[in-house]
Amino acid sequence: MTPDEYCQEKAAKSGSSFYYSFLFLPPERRRAITALYAFCREVDDVVDECSDASVARIKLAWWRTQVDQLFAGQAEHPVAQALLPHLASCDITRERMLAVIDGMEMDLDQTRYLDWPGLRKYCWHAAGVVGELSAGVFGYTDPRTMEYAGKLGLAFQLTNIIRDVGDDARRGRIYIPVNELQQFDVKAAEILNGAYSDRFTALMKFQTERARQLYQEAAQSLPEADRRAQRPGLMMAAIYHALLDEIERDNWQVLHQRISLTPLRKFWLAWKTWVSGGRGLVRRLAKR
């Protein structure tokens, strides 16, 4: 198996919505974004699959050495080997890749966040910096595109947090800020026990409005000159924003189930955004 085939298999097996945005890219950029996604999956799996935090730390430290070797031109792991040809042309930086690993380590160190600034920092490491890395792969000419990409990553991560409230709680993590749980008088035990209430609904509506604000700010930040190049990210925005709408329509019934879109609907949203160049989506998100 070649490094590119390894990354392709890793991406395809994940079942992630991100995979749909890869399908429409030219071959070279598709190989680059698939390798980048495979890297993110590798380090994320370290935290998800290691029950012993000390073992997870050792593995993440090993990945840090892999990043250093990658930028020294001495790639060892198949993912690093697949990334190597794309570093310069896709603006993939060592600092951003290490920031992704920092985000994984935050999950080992912290299971609760006091307030939104603390959670926002985590969301940037978990997804905002991935948005910036991805924007480099897709191509950009205006530095403001990085602001767009970072905010879009934050919106994606917050959408994930809203969708996974119940699942995360059963794994010992409640990402919703402590001060906002207190503000809406929602106890952690209620989330763990799957207890719905008007208070919980109000809390989730508040989180959803924050996510929608981030989608709006991202759309408003995207320079017109880079809109077509950034269509893959906009395809993901179409899918994730539709997911957020679906969660709201289901009245935030996220404690006992994981709400999702069908693969066919994801593909349709991705295709529609690609064909339209994302113009309508950007206009809709920017206006809210």
Side-chain angles (χ1 to χ4, degrees):
M1 184 183 294
T2 68
D4 284 335
E5 288 170 343
Y6 177 94
C7 294
Q8 176 68 27
E9 185 174 293
K10 188 81 176 178
K13 280 184 176 179
S14 73
S16 169
S17 298
F18 284 90
Y19 186 64
Y20 293 86
S21 67
F22 303 169
L23 301 176
F24 298 83
L25 284 168
E28 193 68 14
R29 292 192 185 275
R30 185 166 66 246
R31 284 192 290 270
I33 194 65
T34 302
L36 177 62
Y37 179 76
F39 165 76
C40 295
R41 281 258 50 92
E42 290 282 356
V43 295
D44 190 53
D45 288 347
V46 168
V47 177
D48 288 345
E49 296 175 2
C50 285
S51 56
D52 187 330
S54 62
V55 173
R57 291 183 198 282
I58 292 170
K59 290 186 175 183
L60 289 177
W62 182 84
W63 271 107
R64 288 186 184 277
T65 67
Q66 286 298 294
V67 171
D68 288 339
Q69 289 179 16
L70 168 63
F71 284 89
Q74 301 170 349
E76 176 183 340
H77 191 278
V79 168
Q81 292 173 359
L83 277 168
L84 185 57
H86 308 291
L87 297 183
S89 61
C90 293
D91 195 25
I92 297 172
T93 68
R94 175 180 176 274
E95 290 72 25
R96 288 188 177 119
M97 290 188 69
L98 291 176
V100 174
I101 298 176
D102 289 342
M104 301 305 109
E105 288 190 331
M106 289 176 74
D107 266 334
L108 297 176
D109 296 331
Q110 202 165 348
T111 59
R112 304 289 296 274
Y113 290 90
L114 178 61
D115 52 24
W116 168 236
L119 179 60
R120 183 186 178 103
K121 179 182 178 182
Y122 167 75
C123 288
W124 183 80
H125 280 281
V129 69
V130 178
E132 294 176 9
L133 283 163
S134 300
V137 173
F138 302 147
Y140 70 100
T141 59
D142 190 320
R144 291 177 298 169
T145 296
M146 281 296 151
E147 179 185 352
Y148 142 81
K151 286 185 176 179
L152 194 60
L154 293 177
F156 290 167
Q157 187 64 20
L158 192 52
T159 301
N160 283 339
I161 287 171
I162 293 167
R163 178 195 62 193
D164 297 337
V165 168
D167 282 347
D168 286 337
R170 286 184 286 276
R171 293 185 175 94
R173 303 181 185 282
I174 298 178
Y175 289 103
I176 297 174
V178 172
N179 67 340
E180 292 171 6
L181 288 169
Q182 294 171 342
Q183 177 184 341
F184 289 90
D185 192 26
V186 175
K187 306 293 189 295
E190 295 177 77
I191 293 176
L192 284 167
N193 294 327
Y196 294 101
S197 65
D198 290 341
R199 293 172 286 107
F200 176 77
T201 299
L203 171 66
M204 298 313 292
K205 183 176 182 180
F206 180 81
Q207 304 303 316
T208 299
E209 282 303 307
R210 172 180 284 146
R212 292 193 189 283
Q213 179 68 29
L214 287 167
Y215 283 111
Q216 181 184 41
E217 291 175 7
Q220 291 172 344
S221 300
L222 178 59
E224 176 68 20
D226 288 337
R227 180 177 51 78
R228 288 189 68 83
Q230 293 297 317
R231 279 182 297 176
L234 293 174
M235 291 157 72
M236 287 308 309
I239 292 170
Y240 266 73
H241 197 265
L243 173 61
L244 195 63
D245 288 342
E246 194 72 20
I247 292 170
E248 184 168 8
R249 275 193 294 271
D250 206 23
N251 202 34
W252 296 282
Q253 297 289 296
V254 292
L255 294 179
H256 70 289
Q257 63 180 345
R258 192 176 191 265
I259 298 171
S260 62
L261 305 181
T262 65
L264 182 60
R265 187 176 177 193
K266 289 177 183 178
F267 182 83
W268 181 81
L269 288 166
W271 177 84
K272 180 181 177 183
T273 305
W274 181 266
V275 170
S276 69
R279 185 181 300 276
L281 176 68
V282 170
R283 187 162 51 242
R284 186 165 70 254
L285 294 180
K287 288 183 178 178
R288 287 187 67 212

